[in-house]
Amino acid sequence: MRIIADLQIHSKYSRACSQDLNPYSIGLWADKKGIQVIGTGDFTHPKWLKELKEALKETKPGLYQLKDKSAKAYFLLTSEISSIYKQGEKLRRQHTCVFAPNFAAADKFIAGLEAVGANLKSDGRPITGIHCDDLVKIALEADKRNFIVPAHVWTPHFGAFGSLSGFDSIEEAFGQQAKHIYAIETGLSSDPKMNWQISGLDKYTLVSNSDAHSLRKIGREANAFEIAEKDLSYNKIISAIKNKNPKEFLFTIEFFPEEGKYHMDGHADCKFSCGPEKTKALAGICPVCGKKLLVGVLNRVAKLADREFGFVPKNAIPFKSVIPLEEIIADTFNVGTGSKRVLEVYEKMVGAQVSKSADKQISSSVEEKKRSDVHKTNEFEILLDLTREQIAGISSREIAEAIIRVREGNVNLDDGYDGVFGKVHIFTEKERSTLLRKPKQMGLF
Ligand SMILES: [Zn+2]
Ligand SMILES: [Zn+2]
């Protein structure tokens, strides 16, 4: 069974996060998105941990479900720690994810953090002075099965390789403890193809998670595993990540990196962005205001790369680039993602009944059989699996065309930079005006 897992999100107790992020709504949205395993986020926060313990029960080894059974998704205990400290005369700021196999292991890890003076109450993603290597020690002393993943490694401010705070290798960041790092999170502004340019990263499994700060962003990046439902457990997921075996770890689901808000270099206030070459020519200075440009992910990757773009390492896990369904609908209508029309169509689509079989020419006896696999679809099934006809059947042929184009990578992107998200364009202005001229033919429109 394909298991889609998003192992980094935040709760309502993290800074700048939606108050709607409670266990029940997270479960509901995981189901809508087609996520089978969702990170809890923020388990180091005392109030959130209490809510999780009240709402969840362990139904598979190391995996939890809502006690009231209002959602199918399994929860895996995840947290993210912010470390800020000085090393080698440079201020280091890094986010590191720690996953735990059960509440007991989470409690011990929390006790370890408190023992070194960490204030966990202040934020769902606590800010500490704990060095990366010490963090690994604390996590593993608490429980050997705790699993450590450097978060969004390329982001300028808080990534292990970030332009403002980072290191040039996992070894430099984690020292003696680097041997306990098996995976790194690529973040929204980079995809595996960019990371494959760096031979030093071949030994790590590249994972992708949403780092969602609100419900609708859950699953914007994720991981797909092949695990039999009877075998599903915390250990099985961690070993699938550690083993990096393409039979177990099928692919990651990625943002187009250009859409990420730190892809290119630039200065948001001046609406100026550019690539690494131009930044070099400008000596890193914004040509509009004279301030420093924020050096983005593409630039950092280029600095550390020792291979050409396009190189595929032998043991690489493949990836699929997607655009969240709401953005696809919004682009088709040429309206904002939050608009009423988009939300209505989205809800209709993710709640629609579909058959696993796309074959319409079926005899009645077969039809009988197929009726049984009619089920409520979800966002990932729509984005990844359904045929053009099936998608058109639950929306319109234009939306189906848009989804097929995204699958084929047939999109235009404005690059993100300095905290400004990039933009996706699936249809050209001309195409869209022709489409919108015939609203009556467009089913749900
Ligand atoms: Zn983070
Ligand atoms: Zn400027």
Side-chain angles (χ1 to χ4, degrees):
M1 178 190 179
R2 186 179 72 190
I3 300 291
I4 294 184
D6 176 1
L7 301 175
Q8 210 225 137
I9 68 160
H10 287 286
S11 73
K12 60 186 172 186
Y13 295 105
S14 274
R15 221 173 65 119
C17 284
S18 160
Q19 288 307 301
D20 298 334
L21 287 158
N22 64 63
Y24 301 96
S25 54
I26 292 171
L28 175 80
W29 273 86
D31 283 359
K32 273 193 196 195
K33 295 271 176 183
I35 292 165
Q36 286 74 40
V37 179
I38 182 83
T40 59
D42 297 358
F43 75 63
T44 55
H45 193 275
K47 283 189 184 159
W48 183 236
L49 184 66
K50 186 165 173 281
E51 282 186 39
L52 292 173
K53 285 179 176 175
E54 279 165 10
L56 301 174
K57 71 163 186 236
E58 195 174 1
T59 53
K60 297 251 184 210
L63 298 176
Y64 295 76
Q65 280 177 303
L66 289 168
K67 283 180 189 164
D68 73 358
K69 299 195 171 110
S70 58
K72 282 192 280 184
Y74 292 93
F75 289 75
L76 188 148
L77 296 172
T78 65
S79 64
E80 188 186 30
I81 312 295
S82 178
S83 295
I84 302 183
Y85 57 93
K86 223 169 175 191
Q87 183 178 323
E89 289 312 298
K90 201 174 158 191
L91 188 68
R92 313 293 181 159
R93 290 182 291 183
Q94 197 191 309
H95 288 176
T96 309
C97 296
V98 178
F99 307 159
N102 51 43
F103 282 123
D107 287 335
K108 278 193 202 158
F109 175 52
I110 289 166
L113 294 172
E114 283 172 338
V116 295
N119 175 8
L120 304 179
K121 284 189 217 76
S122 60
D123 199 283
R125 185 210 298 111
I127 296 169
T128 74
I130 303 171
H131 289 220
C132 297
D133 51 346
D134 292 332
L135 185 66
V136 175
K137 276 193 230 166
I138 294 167
L140 295 179
E141 271 165 24
D143 194 303
K144 279 206 297 281
R145 294 166 297 168
N146 283 340
F147 192 66
I148 300 104
V149 181
H152 42 74
V153 292
W154 295 104
T155 54
H157 304 283
F158 292 101
F161 306 142
S163 62
L164 293 179
S165 53
F167 303 90
D168 286 346
S169 68
I170 291 296
E171 288 77 8
E172 192 190 350
F174 288 88
Q176 291 289 315
Q177 302 303 314
K179 58 177 182 284
H180 298 296
I181 305 297
Y182 293 88
I184 57 174
E185 191 187 81
T186 54
L188 300 179
S189 297
S190 88
D191 67 7
K193 210 169 171 182
M194 292 167 68
N195 287 265
W196 293 339
Q197 289 176 267
I198 299 148
S199 60
L201 298 183
D202 286 355
K203 57 178 176 284
Y204 300 106
T205 307
L206 305 176
V207 298
S208 282
N209 299 302
S210 69
D211 201 355
H213 287 37
S214 64
L215 293 166
R216 312 190 89 91
K217 306 274 190 214
I218 287 175
R220 57 186 171 176
E221 293 207 327
N223 313 280
F225 303 106
E226 181 61 43
I227 300 173
E229 202 179 357
K230 63 175 175 44
D231 297 333
L232 187 59
S233 67
Y234 173 87
N235 286 346
K236 196 79 191 173
I237 289 172
I238 301 303
S239 74
I241 296 173
K242 275 187 175 177
N243 295 343
K244 207 179 176 183
N245 171 354
K247 284 192 179 132
E248 287 179 323
F249 196 155
L250 301 176
F251 55 89
T252 55
I253 296 164
E254 306 279 337
F255 242 45
F256 287 91
E258 296 85 351
E259 248 202 295
K261 59 182 177 181
Y262 296 113
H263 186 67
M264 296 296 258
D265 305 336
H267 187 211
D269 288 348
C270 298
K271 295 192 168 61
F272 176 82
S273 70
C274 63
E277 290 296 315
K278 185 89 191 263
T279 303
K280 203 171 167 190
L282 293 166
I285 299 299
C286 173
V288 184
C289 71
K291 283 187 190 154
K292 259 191 173 175
L293 294 170
L294 183 77
V295 171
V297 166
L298 188 68
N299 192 321
R300 280 295 290 162
V301 171
K303 279 227 169 73
L304 300 182
D306 55 356
R307 289 173 179 150
E308 289 297 309
F309 184 71
F311 180 90
V312 183
K314 235 195 263 157
N315 59 347
I317 300 292
F319 70 95
K320 295 183 191 229
S321 302
V322 302
I323 293 169
L325 182 57
E326 282 182 38
E327 277 184 47
I328 296 178
I329 301 168
D331 186 81
T332 311
F333 292 162
N334 198 21
V335 294
T337 40
S339 74
K340 203 174 145 221
R341 207 160 148 217
V342 172
L343 303 188
E344 276 173 15
V345 173
Y346 178 84
E347 290 298 329
K348 272 188 195 160
M349 287 181 78
V350 297
Q353 301 284 337
V354 295
S355 162
K356 278 232 165 68
S357 166
D359 186 4
K360 280 180 189 149
Q361 307 295 317
I362 43 175
S363 69
S364 59
S365 62
V366 182
E367 197 168 357
E368 197 76 8
K369 196 169 143 259
K370 291 203 167 137
R371 215 171 281 141
S372 63
D373 67 26
V374 168
H375 63 283
K376 202 166 140 181
T377 190
N378 57 56
E379 180 169 342
F380 274 129
E381 205 175 60
I382 294 167
L383 293 177
L384 302 173
D385 307 325
L386 297 190
T387 63
R388 181 191 286 272
E389 291 70 31
Q390 283 178 310
I391 302 167
I394 59 168
S395 58
S396 68
R397 51 189 176 79
E398 292 75 19
I399 291 177
E401 168 67 16
I403 290 170
I404 301 295
R405 286 191 191 187
V406 172
R407 283 186 197 164
E408 291 168 351
N410 182 14
V411 297
N412 291 307
L413 296 145
D414 298 340
D415 299 332
Y417 67 98
D418 194 15
V420 179
F421 275 105
K423 277 206 186 76
V424 197
H425 307 280
I426 302 168
F427 294 108
T428 63
E429 285 305 319
K430 199 175 156 220
E431 283 175 316
R432 219 189 274 108
S433 65
T434 348
L435 289 176
L436 292 174
R437 222 179 287 147
K438 307 173 202 155
K440 287 238 166 73
Q441 293 170 21
M442 300 170 80
L444 288 163
F445 286 35

PDB file of all heavy atoms in Angstrom, residues 66 74 93 178 293 326 360 445:
ATOM      1  N   LEU A  66      -6.713   9.350  16.097  1.00  0.00           N
ATOM      2  CA  LEU A  66      -7.629  10.075  16.974  1.00  0.00           C
ATOM      3  C   LEU A  66      -8.520   9.068  17.702  1.00  0.00           C
ATOM      4  O   LEU A  66      -9.070   8.162  17.076  1.00  0.00           O
ATOM      5  CB  LEU A  66      -8.481  11.047  16.147  1.00  0.00           C
ATOM      6  CG  LEU A  66      -7.739  12.266  15.597  1.00  0.00           C
ATOM      7  CD1 LEU A  66      -8.595  12.982  14.555  1.00  0.00           C
ATOM      8  CD2 LEU A  66      -7.354  13.223  16.731  1.00  0.00           C
ATOM      9  N   TYR A  74      -2.818   8.409  10.458  1.00  0.00           N
ATOM     10  CA  TYR A  74      -2.001   8.095  11.624  1.00  0.00           C
ATOM     11  C   TYR A  74      -1.118   9.309  11.933  1.00  0.00           C
ATOM     12  O   TYR A  74      -0.657   9.997  11.015  1.00  0.00           O
ATOM     13  CB  TYR A  74      -1.094   6.899  11.341  1.00  0.00           C
ATOM     14  CG  TYR A  74      -1.845   5.602  11.176  1.00  0.00           C
ATOM     15  CD1 TYR A  74      -2.238   5.162   9.913  1.00  0.00           C
ATOM     16  CD2 TYR A  74      -2.183   4.824  12.278  1.00  0.00           C
ATOM     17  CE1 TYR A  74      -2.948   3.975   9.750  1.00  0.00           C
ATOM     18  CE2 TYR A  74      -2.884   3.635  12.129  1.00  0.00           C
ATOM     19  CZ  TYR A  74      -3.265   3.212  10.863  1.00  0.00           C
ATOM     20  OH  TYR A  74      -3.961   2.050  10.705  1.00  0.00           O
ATOM     21  N   ARG A  93      22.368  29.404  13.064  1.00  0.00           N
ATOM     22  CA  ARG A  93      20.956  29.269  13.398  1.00  0.00           C
ATOM     23  C   ARG A  93      20.424  28.095  12.605  1.00  0.00           C
ATOM     24  O   ARG A  93      20.421  28.129  11.371  1.00  0.00           O
ATOM     25  CB  ARG A  93      20.207  30.541  13.030  1.00  0.00           C
ATOM     26  CG  ARG A  93      20.575  31.705  13.948  1.00  0.00           C
ATOM     27  CD  ARG A  93      19.810  32.940  13.618  1.00  0.00           C
ATOM     28  NE  ARG A  93      20.220  33.482  12.331  1.00  0.00           N
ATOM     29  CZ  ARG A  93      19.755  34.611  11.819  1.00  0.00           C
ATOM     30  NH1 ARG A  93      18.854  35.302  12.469  1.00  0.00           N
ATOM     31  NH2 ARG A  93      20.178  35.052  10.661  1.00  0.00           N
ATOM     32  N   ALA A 178      27.523  13.393  13.395  1.00  0.00           N
ATOM     33  CA  ALA A 178      27.038  13.346  12.004  1.00  0.00           C
ATOM     34  C   ALA A 178      26.715  11.918  11.581  1.00  0.00           C
ATOM     35  O   ALA A 178      25.853  11.693  10.728  1.00  0.00           O
ATOM     36  CB  ALA A 178      28.071  13.962  11.066  1.00  0.00           C
ATOM     37  N   LEU A 293      21.915  41.869  -0.817  1.00  0.00           N
ATOM     38  CA  LEU A 293      20.901  40.959  -1.347  1.00  0.00           C
ATOM     39  C   LEU A 293      20.834  39.730  -0.447  1.00  0.00           C
ATOM     40  O   LEU A 293      21.848  39.321   0.121  1.00  0.00           O
ATOM     41  CB  LEU A 293      21.299  40.497  -2.753  1.00  0.00           C
ATOM     42  CG  LEU A 293      21.316  41.562  -3.845  1.00  0.00           C
ATOM     43  CD1 LEU A 293      21.966  40.983  -5.110  1.00  0.00           C
ATOM     44  CD2 LEU A 293      19.903  42.051  -4.154  1.00  0.00           C
ATOM     45  N   GLU A 326      -5.498  23.621  -4.874  1.00  0.00           N
ATOM     46  CA  GLU A 326      -6.148  24.938  -4.819  1.00  0.00           C
ATOM     47  C   GLU A 326      -5.444  25.938  -5.741  1.00  0.00           C
ATOM     48  O   GLU A 326      -6.087  26.775  -6.370  1.00  0.00           O
ATOM     49  CB  GLU A 326      -6.134  25.489  -3.391  1.00  0.00           C
ATOM     50  CG  GLU A 326      -7.182  24.853  -2.527  1.00  0.00           C
ATOM     51  CD  GLU A 326      -7.208  25.441  -1.124  1.00  0.00           C
ATOM     52  OE1 GLU A 326      -7.015  26.655  -0.979  1.00  0.00           O
ATOM     53  OE2 GLU A 326      -7.409  24.670  -0.179  1.00  0.00           O
ATOM     54  N   LYS A 360     -14.403   2.629 -18.676  1.00  0.00           N
ATOM     55  CA  LYS A 360     -15.847   2.869 -18.673  1.00  0.00           C
ATOM     56  C   LYS A 360     -16.608   1.774 -19.429  1.00  0.00           C
ATOM     57  O   LYS A 360     -17.788   1.581 -19.239  1.00  0.00           O
ATOM     58  CB  LYS A 360     -16.143   4.228 -19.292  1.00  0.00           C
ATOM     59  CG  LYS A 360     -15.904   5.341 -18.292  1.00  0.00           C
ATOM     60  CD  LYS A 360     -16.194   6.685 -18.904  1.00  0.00           C
ATOM     61  CE  LYS A 360     -15.738   7.777 -17.959  1.00  0.00           C
ATOM     62  NZ  LYS A 360     -15.309   8.955 -18.692  1.00  0.00           N
ATOM     63  N   PHE A 445     -17.828  25.483 -13.307  1.00  0.00           N
ATOM     64  CA  PHE A 445     -17.432  26.903 -13.302  1.00  0.00           C
ATOM     65  C   PHE A 445     -18.623  27.819 -13.115  1.00  0.00           C
ATOM     66  O   PHE A 445     -19.684  27.580 -13.604  1.00  0.00           O
ATOM     67  CB  PHE A 445     -16.735  27.262 -14.630  1.00  0.00           C
ATOM     68  CG  PHE A 445     -15.344  26.709 -14.726  1.00  0.00           C
ATOM     69  CD1 PHE A 445     -15.028  25.475 -14.159  1.00  0.00           C
ATOM     70  CD2 PHE A 445     -14.336  27.404 -15.374  1.00  0.00           C
ATOM     71  CE1 PHE A 445     -13.758  24.958 -14.268  1.00  0.00           C
ATOM     72  CE2 PHE A 445     -13.052  26.899 -15.476  1.00  0.00           C
ATOM     73  CZ  PHE A 445     -12.775  25.664 -14.920  1.00  0.00           C
TER      74      PHE A 445
END
